[in-house]
Amino acid sequence: MAPDDPLPPLSLAELETLLAALDPRLDGFGEGESCLDDALAYLARLGVPQSDEGEAPALIRWLEGWRAAGGDRRTLRLMVATLLVQLDDPSES
């Protein structure tokens, strides 16, 4: 993932779901070594749809790239919360 790869376009509901998946109270929910594994496990249990070709959805691929690039849940949670505020009040952007 390049540092300038944008978050895939998400609806308000998808952003809210992602924010919930990034909740630090989910620590230990996934089986992996990273706190982002918990978010991926949560999204998988919610049934984030796969593409028609059976590949992982763009959001899951982006999250895996974010993690591989050294991104953490706290920073991503802040970014998603900021996006939600901007969508709620466009004058904030």
Side-chain angles (χ1 to χ4, degrees):
M1 178 177 120
D4 58 349
D5 283 348
L7 184 66
L10 300 172
S11 68
L12 180 63
E14 289 168 326
L15 283 170
E16 289 171 342
T17 300
L18 178 56
L19 187 65
L22 295 168
D23 189 326
R25 293 175 290 182
L26 291 176
D27 280 346
F29 188 76
E31 298 295 323
E33 300 173 3
S34 166
C35 61
L36 285 175
D37 289 330
D38 298 327
L40 292 170
Y42 182 73
L43 290 171
R45 288 189 174 133
L46 288 177
V48 173
Q50 293 188 341
S51 72
D52 292 337
E53 294 81 38
E55 66 183 30
L59 175 58
I60 299 298
R61 291 192 314 270
W62 189 90
L63 285 171
E64 290 170 346
W66 173 270
R67 179 182 49 194
D72 64 8
R73 176 174 47 198
R74 193 163 119 206
T75 306
L76 184 54
R77 187 169 164 78
L78 179 61
M79 180 181 75
V80 172
T82 302
L83 287 171
L84 282 167
V85 167
Q86 290 176 346
L87 286 174
D88 189 41
D89 184 4
S91 67
E92 292 286 322
S93 49

